[in-house]
Amino acid sequence: AQKVTQAQTEISVVEKEDVTLDCVYETRDTTYYLFWYKQPPSGELVFLIRRNSFDEQNEISGRYSWNFQKSTSSFNFTITASQVVDSAVYFCALSGANAGNNRKLIWGLGTSLAVNP
Amino acid sequence: DAGITQSPRYKITETGRQVTLMCHQTWSHSYMFWYRQDLGHGLRLIYYSAAADITDKGEVPDGYVVSRSKTENFPLTLESATRSQTSVYFCASSELTTNALLETDTQYFGPGTRLTVL
């Protein structure tokens, strides 16, 4: 069975601190995709990144970076020099590849990040 | 406007009434999805559609009906609303892409509909 675990329910940091959000997944598929989404207080769900299981290179986009390690089944998300605008709930998700008509995303329960001034 | 929209954004209804939530996308994406988001449960898939006239059940389909007569629209109907259906409903769409031997898609979400059933 596929599963995504985000063990950190809530994190609170002070602005400019670095923060890492953990994501651990379980799957028996050899090919799969991992995603991160952001849900700010306004409520919409914003796509951040998609990674396939064959690409373990770290990804950096501005202050955001992602560390994918198949050996530990983890896809962690780091925000460097956090800002108040980063306050949101962040979701990690998993889907299979070559999945035919089954396009299901398996979601973690999210980590609520509060960045305080 | 381009993108994916949902209407209404907020809805209050009473137990037993029929309610339809609308979802419209302008990308001509093949796939569309309905999720509900509840505290402690995260996002749960209700129904999805691979193309016009093709729909399938997700994780929590009971009490809901969908249709997809046109690619761009995917309405969700609560035939007889119950209090347990009070939730935030998200519609999403995606398009299948092929990269080498892998097929995948990225789901893009609408702004959500907050439904309260009294």
Side-chain angles (χ1 to χ4, degrees), chain B:
Chain B
D1 292 337
I4 183 166
T5 56
Q6 293 182 235
S7 61
R9 294 293 314 279
Y10 302 90
K11 176 73 176 178
I12 299 174
T13 191
E14 295 178 342
T15 301
R17 290 190 179 267
Q18 183 180 83
V19 177
T20 296
L21 309 183
M22 304 301 294
C23 179
H24 176 77
Q25 52 104 356
T26 60
W27 293 310
S28 298
H29 283 171
S30 298
Y31 287 87
M32 295 188 75
F33 308 82
W34 274 106
Y35 292 89
R36 59 178 291 174
Q37 185 178 29
D38 305 287
L39 279 175
H41 292 279
L43 281 113
R44 293 182 289 176
L45 182 64
I46 304 171
Y47 270 96
Y48 65 101
S49 168
D53 298 322
I54 300 175
T55 62
D56 209 346
K57 296 178 180 180
E59 185 183 353
V60 288
D62 293 343
Y64 303 95
V65 175
V66 293
S67 62
R68 192 152 176 223
S69 58
K70 294 184 177 181
T71 299
E72 61 267 29
N73 296 324
F74 191 38
L76 175 74
T77 298
L78 288 66
E79 293 185 299
S80 178
T82 65
R83 290 180 182 170
S84 65
Q85 292 178 309
T86 292
S87 185
V88 179
Y89 291 85
F90 286 98
C91 179
S93 72
S94 69
E95 187 56 66
L96 191 62
T97 58
T98 301
N99 179 5
L101 296 176
L102 299 180
E103 292 182 338
T104 191
D105 52 6
T106 295
Q107 294 183 23
Y108 296 93
F109 285 79
T113 294
R114 184 174 294 275
L115 176 68
T116 301
V117 182
L118 301 177

